[in-house]
Amino acid sequence: MTFDFDKSIDRRGTNCVKWDEMPSNEIIPLWVADMDFETAPCVQQALKERLQHGCFGYTFVPESFYNATIQWFQHRHQWTIDRKSFIYTSGVVPAISAIIKALTTAGDKVLVQTPVYNCFFSSIRNNDCILAENTLKNENSHYCIDWADFEAKCADPAVKVFLLCNPHNPAGRVWTRQELEKMGNICLQHGVFVISDEIHCEFTMPGHTYTPFASISEAFSANSAVCVSPSKAFNIAGLQIANIIVKDDAIRQKVDKAININEVCDVNPFGVIALQAAYSPEGEAWLNQLNSYIYNNYQLAKSMLEAELPHCPVTTLEGTYLMWVDIRSTGKTSKQVSDHLLRHAKVFVNPGTMYGETAGEGYIRVNLATQRKLVEEGIRRIISGTIGS
């Protein structure tokens, strides 16, 4: 079956964060990590059938939910998840916050690799912890780890947790198995626990393979909590469903307690149904075609920018659907460029400083998960707006 990702979806008037928060209907929003595609038909059908029942009270999570997740990750990513390792919750961000709460005390440090997803900062701050940064190095439009700095930060006794983004948003890296092994071994050596945000795990470009952190070894599995969800891959973030995979019994009990303290221990029936439908052969067929479509969007956007803005290189996109563009040569700050594009070119992108005040300065983030005609027009506006700035 062929799926139509070019189909126009008018999201205005649906209380859509991405579109309805725009000050003008002329603006193309290429910002928040939310896709403009209808979710997979199998997910839509499952939700329709559940909707027809008409009663939407409290729900419990059935065994079929766990089985679907276990089978999906075993088949698609060669990761065998133990049934007892699951903690379900309403989203990956609440999961991260709860795990930090469970494993730290006020004043502890949490290590991140900047530039990185902006909610990492608030999860750390809201738990009265201190941010420690291992700033990634941009080498010829490809981000690398500063290993000496990473090990030095992990050796700091105050660093209790390493918050990993795998694949990495916004740097676009799909960490290799070798890189993950090196990070994990350094963390083991220094007693640093790993929280791995793997929400973008289904988005990989050709030639790159996502490796679940906990799949690498028993030691890594015992020293980590991995957060996964179908929300990004199937555009169902509003249904609020996610899983935390924690192998160690004692740590899992602490995380489960924190989940309950934070009152994010209940999920809605539609999220439970949607996950099971997504993690199916029909969902996988749809997802595979989606990945190809996004890759072609990236190729189009990259070629346009290289032709017209060669002084603003595009970071190599290995995973996610979020393109990271280097605008340092303009002499403008990220906010100046993004504000100018919004006001004068009518395209909304994220300023890089959202993802680290220092590490993100001089970059903008562009969401490519929309219809190709919108990507093409949005990139045209970025080109004209940047040249005109």
Side-chain angles (χ1 to χ4, degrees):
M1 183 177 181
T2 301
F3 303 98
D4 183 10
F5 296 103
D6 284 320
K7 179 182 176 182
S8 295
I9 309 294
D10 186 0
R11 303 184 66 190
R12 295 184 182 92
T14 63
N15 299 318
C16 171
V17 169
K18 185 177 183 181
W19 287 85
D20 285 333
E21 287 193 358
M22 296 299 97
S24 165
N25 286 344
E26 297 176 354
I27 294 168
I28 296 177
L30 301 178
W31 62 298
V32 65
D34 181 330
M35 301 194 294
D36 289 323
F37 311 117
E38 291 182 340
T39 191
C42 59
V43 175
Q44 295 184 52
Q45 183 59 36
L47 292 173
K48 287 176 183 176
E49 291 174 3
R50 181 64 182 86
L51 180 64
Q52 288 172 354
H53 183 262
C55 290
F56 314 113
Y58 299 117
T59 192
F60 72 89
V61 175
E63 283 302 310
S64 55
F65 172 93
Y66 301 104
N67 292 337
T69 307
I70 291 168
Q71 291 168 12
W72 176 269
F73 280 92
Q74 178 63 60
H75 161 72
R76 191 167 174 87
H77 304 298
Q78 295 72 58
W79 179 24
T80 302
I81 302 175
D82 189 339
R83 163 66 180 84
K84 71 175 184 178
S85 299
F86 280 79
I87 301 174
Y88 58 79
T89 186
S90 58
V92 166
V93 172
I96 290 169
S97 292
I99 301 167
I100 293 174
K101 178 186 288 292
L103 302 179
T104 65
T105 57
D108 284 344
K109 293 181 180 179
V110 177
L111 179 63
V112 300
Q113 294 173 314
T114 51
V116 76
Y117 178 44
N118 53 293
C119 285
F120 280 14
F121 305 127
S122 56
S123 291
I124 293 167
R125 183 176 60 250
N126 291 343
N127 281 292
D128 296 320
C129 288
I130 298 169
L131 175 72
E133 295 185 56
N134 169 229
T135 303
L136 298 172
K137 300 186 295 184
N138 186 342
E139 297 182 351
N140 298 317
S141 299
H142 180 266
Y143 274 89
C144 303
I145 297 168
D146 183 336
W147 290 109
D149 180 72
F150 182 80
E151 181 147 24
K153 295 288 169 56
C154 287
D156 180 351
V159 172
K160 305 299 183 184
V161 167
F162 167 43
L163 182 47
L164 169 66
C165 198
N166 175 41
H168 192 282
N169 166 23
R173 282 300 316 277
V174 175
W175 301 116
T176 65
R177 184 181 182 90
Q178 291 72 28
E179 288 170 319
L180 292 170
E181 285 177 346
K182 190 167 183 177
M183 285 188 271
N185 284 327
I186 291 171
C187 287
L188 283 173
Q189 179 183 351
H190 296 288
V192 175
F193 189 83
V194 179
I195 304 172
S196 190
D197 174 358
E198 304 191 355
I199 196 170
H200 287 280
C201 68
E202 305 302 343
F203 295 107
T204 56
M205 301 296 108
H208 300 279
T209 302
Y210 151 73
T211 302
F213 180 82
S215 73
I216 295 174
S217 71
E218 284 295 321
F220 284 16
S221 182
N223 192 52
S224 66
V226 177
C227 304
V228 292
S229 171
S231 62
K232 294 295 183 194
F234 292 90
N235 206 26
I236 54 172
L239 300 184
Q240 298 187 317
I241 193 74
N243 285 302
I244 310 170
I245 309 301
V246 191
K247 185 70 179 285
D248 184 270
D249 292 339
I251 293 174
R252 188 171 59 257
Q253 290 175 10
K254 290 180 181 179
V255 173
D256 188 56
K257 181 178 180 180
I259 286 285
N260 281 270
I261 290 172
N262 283 5
E263 302 292 0
V264 286
C265 51
D266 292 318
V267 291
N268 74 73
F270 294 105
V272 173
I273 292 294
L275 178 144
Q276 295 174 76
Y279 289 163
S280 69
E282 295 83 0
E284 185 173 34
W286 179 88
L287 180 61
N288 288 340
Q289 290 186 36
L290 170 66
N291 264 306
S292 295
Y293 189 88
I294 289 172
Y295 177 68
N296 288 331
N297 278 357
Y298 165 63
Q299 292 289 89
L300 172 64
K302 185 172 183 287
S303 65
M304 292 175 67
L305 288 168
E306 286 176 342
E308 300 295 333
L309 291 178
H311 57 289
C312 294
V314 174
T315 302
T316 303
L317 186 65
E318 300 176 353
T320 82
Y321 49 72
L322 304 162
M323 186 171 66
W324 190 240
V325 183
D326 185 345
I327 49 90
R328 288 176 292 178
S329 64
T330 65
K332 307 289 186 181
T333 68
S334 297
K335 189 173 189 309
Q336 286 172 332
V337 170
S338 60
D339 285 351
H340 180 86
L341 291 175
L342 178 61
R343 288 195 306 270
H344 300 286
K346 305 299 182 187
V347 61
F348 188 13
V349 300
N350 293 115
T353 45
M354 284 184 64
Y355 312 101
E357 291 184 7
T358 301
E361 183 58 271
Y363 296 85
I364 57 172
R365 196 188 78 166
V366 183
N367 182 345
L368 300 174
T370 191
Q371 288 72 33
R372 189 155 300 139
K373 64 181 182 180
L374 290 178
V375 170
E376 186 171 8
E377 177 59 25
I379 298 300
R380 282 201 186 101
R381 294 184 186 189
I382 289 170
I383 291 168
S384 64
T386 303
I387 292 173
S389 66

